[in-house]
């Protein structure tokens, strides 16, 4: 593994580096990047190191008027320690808390988890259930926003162009009328720690005082080429009263979620097993 | 004329604190912190296990946080405080309480995982030290057995079966409760 590295310290130095370099990769926590380069070295590669860029938007968290800002360099550890994430977006807290290990959570970033575009990206899956919007920045300094549902194109492929960096994202604040939130990240692996998901399910369901579902985001991981949003399942829930949901409806919801799955058989699990597990955990949403 | 191949990697100068001592060196961009510690600084207590972030044998503290040095670019150590197992040595040459507790609990067999375990447990003590020492609040802030297990999830041990390692961490924190209650 050989490469060169540039260490931009400001946003403008970062943009300049993107304009100047030809064969480059961004390095954030580098937990994915180093593993990848060890297996498949790239000749004449330059790593544009994002670790020294000082910019609070890029590295920090912030409560905004109608949303919550998460800088691309936010680590899983920072997310776990943040009170608002724990209180308002439990699904994100749980995905970060169960990512890899204590050591990896210290360095692994939200931006890296999204941009590596793994089908089993845990933080990516949670952020999809939260209907986040990705904020991109190009080498000319122009910002653009794309919904997370449009961010992933395939295994290890995102919508990001070569001259674009993920700068951060916004998560919509829970609705004003929300009284209770059912927000959870369920990760099934072959062991409890340090395990890429065999199947994962993320959901964030907002319920008003009367028990009526007024917001629902459901996403699945490790079940298709990308993490996927189960949009028809979310739509199915809107307007239903959680106290009146029947067993048949729970079954229907689970089937809708599973219809988004196109799992593969690999060394961790068979496609059949993945679907079965997904069906069963989907039935448990209101339990 | 034969074209000379340009070396792909240029050298980078970094300065950081290693076990409390300011050090500088020139390194290749792809140098891993683990190799820098072991090969350049010849501190062999940090162990190379899997080189994949799986085993935790290579755990060091960066600004008091536990990190796998096998997945950490040495370039990123610039300006940071790095502590390795050698840095736990007390001024009088004795073992650190974390190490004492591991020994006393019989939590060391072949010892390959032990330095990584000790560093992760040390990191957990930092977390609890940062909590204000108010009576009543202390006990709550101390990690439960489950929390200790969760914290150590990135450290593998092939010998002990973990029970004694977790015991060691638990005893260490129990000792702290005693000290705090006695106002030591
Ligand atoms: C032992 C181990 C266990 C793991 N367990 C899990 C797990 O349980 N769940 C899980 O989801 N993942 C897991 N991972 C994968 C990995 O740790 C995470 O995906 C992590 O979030 C990646 O973040 P990073 O900052 O290290 O990314 P990096 O490795 O720095 O980057 C990953 C990719 O994203 C690109 N990139 C990074 N930041 C940006 C940006 N801002 N803009 C554009 N491109 C960018 C990089 O160029 C690279 O291609 C594990 C990895 C290891 C080694
Ligand atoms: S050698 Fe670093 S985690 Fe195994
Ligand atoms: S004591 Fe041998 S690996 Fe832990």
């Amino acid at each position: 593994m050989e490469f060169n590295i540039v260490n931009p310290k400001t946003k403008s130095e970062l943009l300049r580096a993107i304009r100047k370099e030809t064969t480059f990769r961004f390095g954030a926590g580098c937990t994915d990047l180093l593993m990848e380069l060890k297996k498949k070295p790239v000749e004449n590669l330059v790593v544009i190191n994002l670790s020294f860029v000082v910019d609070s938007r890029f590295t920090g968290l912030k409560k905004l008027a109608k949303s919550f800002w998460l800088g691309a360099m936010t680590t899983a550890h920072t997310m776990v320690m943040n009170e608002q994430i724990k209180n308002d977006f439990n699904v994100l807290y749980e995905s970060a808390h169960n990512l890899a290990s204590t050591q990896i959570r210290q360095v692994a970033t939200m931006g890296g988890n999204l941009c590596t575009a793994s089908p089993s990206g845990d933080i990516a899956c949670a952020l999809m259930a939260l209907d986040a919007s990705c904020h991109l920045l190009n080498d000319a300094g122009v910002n653009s926003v794309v919904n997370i549902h449009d961010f992933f194109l395939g295994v290890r492929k995102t919508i990001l162009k070569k001259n674009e960096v993920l700068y951060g994202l916004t998560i919509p604040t829970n609705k004003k009328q929300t009284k209770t939130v059912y927000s959870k990240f369920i990760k099934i692996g072959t062991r409890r720690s340090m395990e890429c998901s065999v199947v994962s399910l993320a959901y964030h369901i907002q319920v008003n005082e009367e028990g009526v579902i007024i917001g629902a985001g459901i996403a699945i991981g490790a079940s298709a080429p990308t993490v996927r949003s189960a949009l028809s399942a979310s739509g199915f829930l809107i307007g239903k009263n959680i106290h009146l949901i029947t067993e048949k409806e729970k079954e229907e919801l689970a089937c809708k979620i599973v219809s988004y799955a196109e799992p593969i058989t690999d060394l961790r699990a068979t496609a059949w097993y993945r679907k079965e597990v997904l069906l069963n955990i989907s039935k448990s949403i209101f339990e | 004329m034969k074209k000379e191949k340009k070396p792909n990697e240029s050298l980078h100068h970094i300065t950081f604190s290693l076990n409390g001592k300011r050090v500088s060196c020139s390194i290749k961009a792809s140098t891993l912190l683990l190799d820098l510690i072991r090969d350049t600084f010849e501190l062999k207590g940090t162990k190379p296990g899997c080189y994949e972030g799986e085993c935790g044998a290579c755990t060091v503290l960066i600004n008091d946080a536990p990190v796998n040095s096998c997945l950490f670019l040495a370039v990123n150590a610039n300006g940071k405080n790095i502590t390795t197992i050698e840095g736990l040595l007390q001024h009088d040459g004795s073992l650190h309480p974390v190490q004492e507790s591991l020994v006393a609990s019989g939590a060391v067999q072949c010892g390959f995982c032990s330095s990584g375990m000790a560093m992760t447990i040390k990191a957990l003590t930092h977390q609890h030290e940062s909590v204000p020492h108010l009576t009543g609040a202390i006990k709550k802030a101390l990690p439960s057995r489950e929390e200790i297990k969760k914290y150590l999830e990135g450290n593998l041990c092939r010998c002990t079966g973990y029970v004694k390692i977790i015991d060691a961490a638990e005893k260490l924190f129990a000792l702290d409760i005693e000290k705090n209650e006695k106002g030591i």
Side-chain angles (χ1 to χ4, degrees):
Chain A
M1 182 178 66
E2 265 197 14
F3 50 79
N4 244 318
I5 201 159
V6 287
N7 301 302
K9 293 186 183 58
T10 60
K11 186 163 130 183
S12 55
E13 281 182 21
L14 168 63
L15 301 184
R16 208 173 313 138
I18 303 175
R19 286 195 296 269
K20 182 171 165 244
E21 303 301 339
T22 41
T23 311
F24 70 85
R25 294 287 297 277
F26 295 111
C30 294
T31 58
D32 272 321
L33 186 69
L34 289 177
M35 293 303 296
E36 190 191 323
L37 293 179
K38 271 188 205 173
K39 281 188 199 124
K40 232 177 33 189
V42 179
E43 246 185 74
N44 297 318
L45 181 74
V46 173
V47 171
I48 299 183
N49 187 2
L50 302 177
S51 303
F52 290 105
V53 177
V54 180
D55 179 347
S56 60
R57 263 171 63 79
F58 193 43
T59 56
L61 308 168
K62 198 168 181 208
K63 193 176 170 183
L64 304 173
K66 288 184 180 153
S67 61
F68 188 75
W69 173 266
L70 212 61
M73 291 300 284
T74 310
T75 62
H77 175 74
T78 305
M79 286 185 234
V80 171
M81 300 307 281
N82 184 277
E83 279 299 311
Q84 193 178 355
I85 291 182
K86 198 170 175 182
N87 292 336
D88 294 353
F89 313 117
N90 186 53
V91 61
L92 181 59
Y93 166 81
E94 287 187 359
S95 73
H97 194 45
N98 293 309
L99 183 133
S101 64
T102 305
Q103 288 91 327
I104 290 187
R105 285 194 290 277
Q106 302 290 337
V107 291
T109 63
M110 175 280 279
N113 199 269
L114 251 67
C115 298
T116 210
S118 156
S120 57
D122 290 339
I123 294 172
C125 189
L127 287 168
M128 199 165 249
L130 288 167
D131 193 26
S133 296
C134 306
H135 293 242
L136 320 181
L137 179 73
N138 75 7
D139 59 352
V142 178
N143 292 294
S144 55
V145 181
V146 50
N147 191 279
I148 192 161
H149 304 297
D150 303 318
F151 188 76
F152 301 103
L153 300 180
V155 179
R156 310 244 167 239
K157 281 201 201 93
T158 71
I159 199 164
L160 279 177
K161 296 197 191 78
K162 198 177 163 232
N163 66 339
E164 283 176 329
V165 64
L166 176 72
Y167 220 65
L169 53 78
T170 44
I171 304 170
T173 314
N174 290 332
K175 293 180 199 300
K176 255 209 203 110
Q177 310 90 309
T178 297
K179 183 79 199 306
T180 317
V181 185
Y182 293 79
S183 186
K184 213 168 161 50
F185 184 75
I186 304 174
K187 173 171 174 172
I188 308 289
T190 43
R191 53 187 283 254
R192 227 189 313 160
S193 306
M194 297 294 283
E195 179 62 354
C196 275
S197 307
V198 163
V199 168
S200 57
L201 173 70
Y203 57 86
H204 188 76
I205 298 165
Q206 300 175 57
V207 176
N208 73 7
E209 189 129 30
E210 288 83 48
V212 177
I213 296 171
I214 53 173
I218 302 173
I220 58 174
S223 313
T226 67
V227 289
R228 269 190 187 167
S229 179
L231 285 173
S232 73
S234 306
F236 175 74
L237 283 179
I238 300 289
K240 291 205 167 36
N241 190 308
I242 51 153
H243 307 303
L244 305 174
I245 287 184
T246 61
E247 285 307 312
K248 200 169 153 267
E249 281 171 331
K250 282 187 192 168
E251 194 92 17
E252 202 177 334
L253 173 71
C255 288
K256 282 194 193 297
I257 295 172
V258 174
S259 73
Y260 287 86
E262 284 176 80
I264 54 160
T265 294
D266 64 11
L267 56 103
R268 286 200 200 93
T270 61
W272 173 84
Y273 176 79
R274 288 190 151 103
K275 273 198 170 180
E276 281 296 299
V277 172
L278 185 61
L279 185 73
N280 285 319
I281 55 176
S282 298
K283 284 183 198 163
S284 75
I285 287 186
F286 294 106
E287 272 152 28
Chain B
M1 204 174 75
K2 219 172 120 191
K3 221 175 160 185
E4 220 169 277
K5 200 173 170 247
K6 202 172 116 213
N8 186 21
E9 290 191 273
S10 54
L11 292 180
H12 296 262
H13 191 73
I14 58 167
T15 301
F16 60 102
S17 153
L18 181 60
N19 297 328
K21 232 172 77 192
R22 206 177 129 93
V23 294
S24 295
C25 55
S26 289
I27 51 165
K28 291 204 298 187
S30 60
T31 305
L32 299 170
L33 182 59
L34 174 59
D35 297 332
L36 181 75
I37 290 168
R38 287 181 56 88
D39 302 341
T40 307
F41 291 100
E42 296 190 338
L43 296 174
K44 306 285 188 184
T46 305
K47 298 298 176 200
C50 62
Y51 266 96
E52 293 193 349
E54 294 276 352
C55 74
C58 66
T59 304
V60 300
L61 305 189
I62 301 183
N63 296 349
D64 293 338
V67 167
N68 298 317
S69 59
C70 71
L71 275 188
F72 195 86
L73 287 179
V75 167
N76 284 341
N78 196 28
K80 309 254 171 37
N81 294 324
I82 313 283
T83 312
T84 69
I85 188 75
E86 289 83 357
L88 294 197
L89 196 71
Q90 304 290 278
H91 291 306
D92 62 0
S94 62
L95 293 179
H96 187 277
V98 171
Q99 295 166 302
E100 296 271 17
S101 191
L102 285 165
V103 173
S105 300
V108 181
Q109 286 189 26
C110 81
F112 197 82
C113 71
S114 304
S115 57
M117 289 287 181
M119 296 318 286
T120 310
I121 297 172
K122 175 78 170 74
L124 188 57
T125 69
H126 282 295
Q127 285 208 347
H128 115 83
E129 271 169 15
S130 64
V131 173
H133 279 213
L134 300 167
T135 6
I138 298 168
K139 265 190 201 163
K140 228 170 112 199
L142 287 175
S144 65
R145 198 168 170 90
E146 272 314 304
E147 281 162 345
I148 293 170
K149 273 192 206 167
K150 170 85 183 144
Y151 205 78
L152 290 176
E153 68 191 335
N155 290 82
L156 299 185
C157 173
R158 295 299 302 269
C159 308
T160 66
Y162 300 101
V163 174
K164 290 184 174 178
I165 295 172
I166 297 157
D167 286 348
E170 212 175 30
K171 280 181 195 153
L172 183 78
F173 288 108
L175 201 72
D176 262 24
I177 296 181
E178 253 173 57
K179 273 197 211 159
N180 282 315
E181 279 176 352
K182 287 183 188 151
I184 302 171

